[in-house]
Amino acid sequence: MNVDVLIVGAGTSGLVAGIASAKNYRGTVCVLERNPEPGCKFLLSGSGQCNVTHGGSITDFLNHYGDTKKARFVQPALLAFDNIAVTEFFEQRGVPILEREDGKIFPKSLKSEDLLKVLVAELRKQGGILQTETVVENITKTDNGFLLATNRGEFCTKKLILATGGQSYPSTGSRGDGFRFAERLGHHLIEPKPVLTPVIVRNYPFAGLSGISFWSSKIEVYRNGKRLKSGRGDILLTHRGLSGPGILDLSRDIEPDDELRISIIKPEEFTPEVFTGKKTLKNALQRFDIAERFLVQILDSFHIAPDQPATETNRETRKKIELALTCYPFIVERLGGWNEAMATGGGVVLDEVNRKTMESRIVPDLYFCGELLDIDGNTGGYNIQFALSSGFLAGNSLQHHS
Ligand SMILES: Cc1cc2nc3c(=O)[nH]c(=O)nc-3n(C[C@H](O)[C@H](O)[C@H](O)COP(=O)(O)OP(=O)(O)OC[C@H]3O[C@@H](n4cnc5c(N)ncnc54)[C@H](O)[C@@H]3O)c2cc1C
């Protein structure tokens, strides 16, 4: 089959790349997808509710992709199809959108399928072809385009957009194929790794407390005694270690054997006043709004009776409690693997891609979008927003290079 534009992957970025290409490029546009249905990962995003983007100014998004180099790369795409444009896109097609107090944006119905239906309908409306159950196995550059070998025969195309996603949740169809294709076409990779993933802690003492959360805690990452990174966010105790947005967002910078120091409360909150009055020690500490079961376990670990009068807490004991609440150390055994990670760190090297068009700087007429690139965002809608924006920019840029 001969087409003018081929998009590999009908996921988040591929569907938008298809819509934009079909709208803007004269010629046949076809999106190939290995699964029987498109958008498998999009559907399960945000626990099936789809946190599609975030509120606020799009320039505030730039800090949510790791470092300044990443911020520079994502900027043109984010500006081309920003969070307001995304919201309007869905609302104008009949899906009301809701911004939560924490800035996360969802469909009002809290059903990702409502958004997916819009993407698929729009692709068809613009004349794009969606061909499912088609696994791209190999890609070769030819004199006038690309030749794709699939389980359904060969496809020839002038322009190729790779939208194969990353490698996390491989059951959704994103199994890292795009990394292989990109390398074969001459691109280099930053070694892909699971990110937005929980941390498994060595000799973890809180397995029995899984489900307890701490709000807006400070998290510091130490490697060989040196502080590498710090952040603030909610933390969830799991049966094997730590999760929650604060941990997930830092996970791209965490490695096995790192030490995480967690401040559940601010050091300045721990005043001598805590130990005055007629309360028991446990009750006195509850002013910090920390789950009682956690406090009791901490006190037990120091062999301190939770019901002793707070006023009878000696200096040494106060110091121990203070350290536990303001600087609790955890040693990282490992990070959650591909089946747990919500995104892929690493990917196609950014210097090899034109950030203003998403076109390869190595192979003309080859474009990249979504998680396949060395971009991963924080929790809060930043990954889907980048996938949508980069897909849009890739599809929209074709005309300028025809
Ligand atoms: C559990 C979970 C929850 C998440 N929740 C959120 C959230 O709420 N908000 C947010 O912003 N982000 C969330 N994310 C991340 C977000 O879903 C992804 O970053 C985004 O969907 C990536 O889009 P993509 O187009 O790059 O890849 P994908 O959406 O993964 O699409 C890639 C597509 O390519 C297809 N494909 C791959 N190889 C081939 C091949 N060889 N031949 C044919 N087809 C192929 C795949 O089957 C797949 O359909 C979540 C991720 C997970 C795993």
Side-chain angles (χ1 to χ4, degrees), residues 313-327:
T313 318
N314 63 31
R315 244 180 90 177
E316 191 195 346
T317 305
R318 289 181 191 196
K319 194 72 207 164
K320 281 183 184 166
I321 299 171
E322 180 182 3
L323 277 175
L325 299 185
T326 59
C327 189

Side-chain angles (χ1 to χ4, degrees), residues 9 11-13 33-34 44-46 51 136 165 174 177 342 371 381 384:
T12 314
S13 63
E33 169 57 47
R34 70 150 30 100
L44 59 80
S45 286
N51 174 201
V136 176
S174 351
D177 295 5
M342 285 194 281
E371 253 188 67
I384 290 186

